[in-house]
Amino acid sequence: MTSDPRSVLRRPASEPDFTLRYGEHPDHVADVRLPAVPNAPLVLFVHGGFWRREWDRAHAAPLAGDLAARGYAVATIEFRRTGQTGGGWPGTFSDVAAAAVAVPDQLAKEVAHRGLLPVSVDRPIMAGHSAGGHLALWYASVAPDAVGGVVALAPVADLTRAYELDLDGGAVADLLGGGPESVPEAYRSADPMRNLPSGVRTVIVHGADDDIVPVELSRDYCRAARRAGDDATLVELAGVEHFGVIDPLSPAWTAVLAAFGTVTRGETAQGD
């Protein structure tokens, strides 16, 4: 592992095999990386960055490339973010939902058109990091029959608590247009903690030393999800900060790969 945990954000990675478009906005796209095996499970990955325009899908390329090399088809979706026209509530959410519906079918058609190995696109895995982990959990709660499982890496799993903690200097208020008292309907609709049970098998991987998204959010979410009847596991990693869970060079990566194995192949989750 490198000495700078943030180095993964700017590390060169493989180019996507192709990019799909799911809407008219320039950010209505998804980068696709394919493995060299047939019928690979599809992962729809949602990048982090506190939903802000400053961060796009480019920094998730090392993760996507490594997963593809290990037998997963990975579509890294882009979406409108705060600071962009149409970003925030509800545009960010409608973009993720639209991508989750459109990208699997488009991907299947594209690989057939190119004569590439087929991909298993039915009920893909929703995955994401940080704010993207929140969006993966959210989409599973609103479309559980369309999701095969969730892998959430250091997710913002509780928007109300994240607002109270003022994560990233008002990121949640910027996303939803205010606090829980001023825009209660947005929180009721957008907060995964308020939409349990999801009915979708979920594994969360979160570093105990994360000072960007505190692990307490994932602890509380998993406890609440299990009380509601969900199959939810938290894998809490000692000595791991916020970016180790998306870095294939990090010691945390073994736990991340195990989480994907849990939701795609029904393996036993090792966590709380």
Side-chain angles (χ1 to χ4, degrees):
M1 182 180 177
T2 61
S3 59
D4 178 10
R6 291 176 177 264
S7 65
V8 68
L9 303 179
R10 54 186 181 273
R11 185 181 305 148
S14 64
E15 292 295 317
D17 292 287
F18 52 84
T19 298
L20 297 172
R21 174 163 295 282
Y22 68 88
E24 297 181 354
H25 190 274
D27 282 332
H28 288 164
V29 293
D31 290 339
V32 176
R33 290 173 172 85
L34 299 173
V37 296
N39 301 314
L42 174 60
V43 174
L44 299 179
F45 191 82
V46 192
H47 69 81
F50 279 111
W51 312 279
R52 301 190 188 279
R53 69 178 302 172
E54 289 81 6
W55 295 100
D56 62 17
R57 67 194 186 282
H59 74 269
L63 173 147
D66 191 271
L67 286 178
R70 296 176 186 272
Y72 296 91
V74 184
T76 308
I77 66 173
E78 195 55 89
F79 49 93
R80 290 173 294 173
R81 304 172 301 284
T82 58
Q84 296 175 290
T85 301
W89 175 260
T92 293
F93 296 80
S94 61
D95 286 359
V96 170
V101 170
V103 167
D105 287 343
Q106 290 186 14
L107 191 156
K109 292 176 182 177
E110 188 66 19
V111 296
H113 174 73
R114 293 171 177 252
L116 301 173
L117 294 172
V119 173
S120 178
V121 299
D122 184 47
R123 300 183 74 238
I125 302 304
M126 289 296 301
H129 173 239
S130 194
H134 154 259
L135 290 167
L137 291 169
W138 166 80
Y139 183 72
S141 74
V142 299
D145 292 340
V147 177
V150 174
V151 176
L153 309 176
V156 187
D158 183 341
L159 292 187
T160 301
R161 184 65 180 136
Y163 171 81
E164 294 169 350
L165 293 171
D166 194 33
L167 297 189
D168 202 52
V172 177
D174 290 344
L175 175 70
L176 297 184
E181 294 184 359
S182 60
V183 286
E185 181 54 39
Y187 280 81
R188 280 193 292 270
S189 299
D191 193 344
M193 183 68 96
R194 300 188 184 207
N195 288 280
L196 293 170
S198 72
V200 177
R201 189 177 199 188
T202 298
V203 179
I204 294 177
V205 184
H206 208 136
D209 291 357
D210 192 330
D211 61 359
I212 294 177
V213 178
V215 70
E216 71 176 75
L217 272 65
S218 291
R219 292 173 184 159
D220 292 346
Y221 176 85
C222 282
R223 282 194 290 263
R226 288 196 294 267
R227 285 197 299 267
D230 275 345
D231 181 349
T233 301
L234 171 62
V235 180
E236 184 173 331
L237 302 176
V240 173
E241 42 64 60
H242 189 63
F243 301 103
V245 294
I246 62 167
D247 188 349
L249 301 183
S250 165
W253 193 240
T254 299
V256 173
L257 294 175
F260 278 101
T262 294
V263 297
T264 58
R265 296 186 292 274
E267 299 170 1
T268 301
Q270 301 296 319
D272 61 354

